[in-house]
Amino acid sequence: MNFCGLELAHPIVNGSGTFDAIAARRAFGDALLERFPFAAFVSKTVTVEPREGNPPPRLYELPGGMLNSIGLPNKGLEGYLAHDLPELARLPVPLIVNVMGFTHEQEATLVEAFGDRDEVAGLELNVSCPNVETGMIMGADPHETGALLDAVRPHTRKPLIVKLTPNCTSPAAVAAAAEQHGADAVSLINTLRGMAIHPGRPGEPWLGGGTGGVSGPAIRAIALAQVREVRRRVRIPIVGMGGVQSARHARDLLDAGADLVGVGTESFRDPCVAATIAAELPRMQANSGSLTSRQDTRAPRIAQRD
Ligand code: RRO
């Protein structure tokens, strides 16, 4: 299949920051490359300067998923180019580098740096961050997002994907602005802001970063609704994600209007789940609730599917 000019073997990719391909390669060796679970690999977010990330604890388990406050630990642009890029370039699928800047200048620096590299097939802009010049979250407002695209679009001809935040009034309006200002695709949803209370210190947050992002099955219905709403507003491709655990869930996002599906939190439980989903997806009929090659004798399930 084709996505923004990239030839992909199937429509399943990873959500940025949810699969450490370098660590996985170390653990599984060449077996990882031979049976790589994703059709394209989206890197974790890179910033211009190196970052330590947030103080621990960084994770909290929720009944329907996970809360994270990782805080963008990364080696920075120079470190990434020197250490991570050569390793990620060995993956057998196109590499999409996820970047985040705190000013338009930083965003342009990142897009230009990766836009020049043959190892990089495309870029994903993580817009869930404050613009320190305006104090606004870059992806929470259509004008901010449009201005960001104006600043970065001239710096590369590679596919530019905007990773939308669900923490705003209208992700669909932001998606429309991204499209109008030159984005090639949008991806959604990033995590929803949430918090957990420290069990031993009432009123204080558990996470070192205070609040964090909710992911996993708990947000799947929200992802479906937002993907459908965005599909009604834009013509560019959509990478849909949020709580996908099975081919059924992937099929539902595709039916809601996504072109690709991202798998994130579930990969922590089963690093091969994306491969299973990709293998089962062709047998999954739209809106059937069952695999086509199996006889399903159960009564149709209307309200709830697993
Ligand atoms: O690093 C993080 O804490 C983080 C990021 Br940048 C993001 O975009 N989404 C998320 O859930 N966590």
Side-chain angles (χ1 to χ4, degrees):
M1 64 170 300
N2 190 288
F3 171 78
C4 296
L6 309 178
E7 270 311 313
L8 304 184
H10 57 78
I12 308 299
V13 300
N14 65 301
S16 171
T18 62
F19 191 95
D20 187 337
I22 296 174
R25 174 85 205 284
R26 238 176 268 133
F28 302 114
D30 286 345
L32 178 79
L33 306 187
E34 284 152 24
R35 294 171 53 206
F36 197 68
F38 309 106
F41 182 72
V42 186
S43 80
K44 65 183 179 185
T45 303
V46 187
T47 54
V48 171
E49 300 299 335
R51 287 173 60 95
E52 291 286 324
N54 286 341
R58 290 174 167 181
L59 293 176
Y60 185 83
E61 190 177 344
L62 296 171
M66 193 168 85
L67 186 56
N68 87 81
S69 177
I70 312 297
L72 296 161
N74 77 100
K75 300 184 181 104
L77 177 57
E78 291 306 319
Y80 189 93
L81 290 172
H83 302 291
D84 291 4
L85 192 58
E87 298 224 35
L88 295 175
R90 289 155 68 186
L91 297 178
V93 296
L95 173 64
I96 295 169
V97 176
N98 181 300
V99 299
M100 182 191 272
F102 297 94
T103 63
H104 286 177
E105 194 187 343
Q106 285 187 357
E107 298 273 12
T109 300
L110 291 159
V111 168
E112 191 169 12
F114 290 114
D116 276 349
R117 304 293 297 233
D118 290 341
E119 306 95 315
V120 178
L123 286 145
E124 185 174 67
L125 299 178
N126 187 343
V127 294
S128 300
C129 63
N131 178 343
V132 296
E133 288 148 345
T134 65
M136 293 178 74
I137 301 292
M138 295 208 197
D141 172 81
H143 298 291
E144 277 278 340
T145 307
L148 171 62
L149 265 296
D150 290 345
V152 301
R153 182 71 270 188
H155 293 283
T156 187
R157 295 172 68 174
K158 291 196 198 301
L160 266 181
I161 307 164
V162 174
K163 175 81 173 270
L164 301 172
T165 172
N167 303 309
C168 70
T169 310
S170 175
V174 174
E179 179 178 49
Q180 279 157 20
H181 290 259
D184 295 293
V186 289
S187 52
L188 68 151
I189 61 175
N190 204 328
T191 52
L192 283 137
R193 192 166 53 254
M195 77 172 285
I197 294 293
H198 194 294
R201 295 187 224 130
E204 283 185 36
W206 165 256
L207 295 170
T211 60
V214 180
S215 64
I219 69 166
R220 195 164 61 239
I222 298 161
L224 272 172
Q226 294 203 0
V227 165
R228 181 159 165 270
E229 200 183 329
V230 169
R231 174 43 74 220
R232 288 176 165 178
R233 288 288 293 271
V234 305
R235 297 178 71 87
I236 51 177
I238 295 173
V239 187
M241 69 195 87
V244 171
Q245 297 175 294
S246 67
R248 177 70 260 159
H249 301 154
R251 184 68 252 172
D252 285 350
L253 277 168
L254 294 169
D255 292 343
D259 298 85
L260 299 183
V261 170
V263 177
T265 303
E266 191 64 10
S267 294
F268 290 102
R269 201 190 330 241
D270 173 5
C272 297
V273 71
T276 308
I277 292 171
E280 288 187 355
L281 195 56
R283 294 189 288 139
M284 182 68 64
Q285 276 180 328
N287 296 319
S288 75
S290 63
L291 296 174
T292 52
S293 62
R294 279 194 207 146
Q295 194 71 34
D296 192 348
T297 52
R298 292 169 300 176
R301 287 183 294 161
I302 295 163
Q304 193 187 354
R305 290 186 301 209
D306 52 20

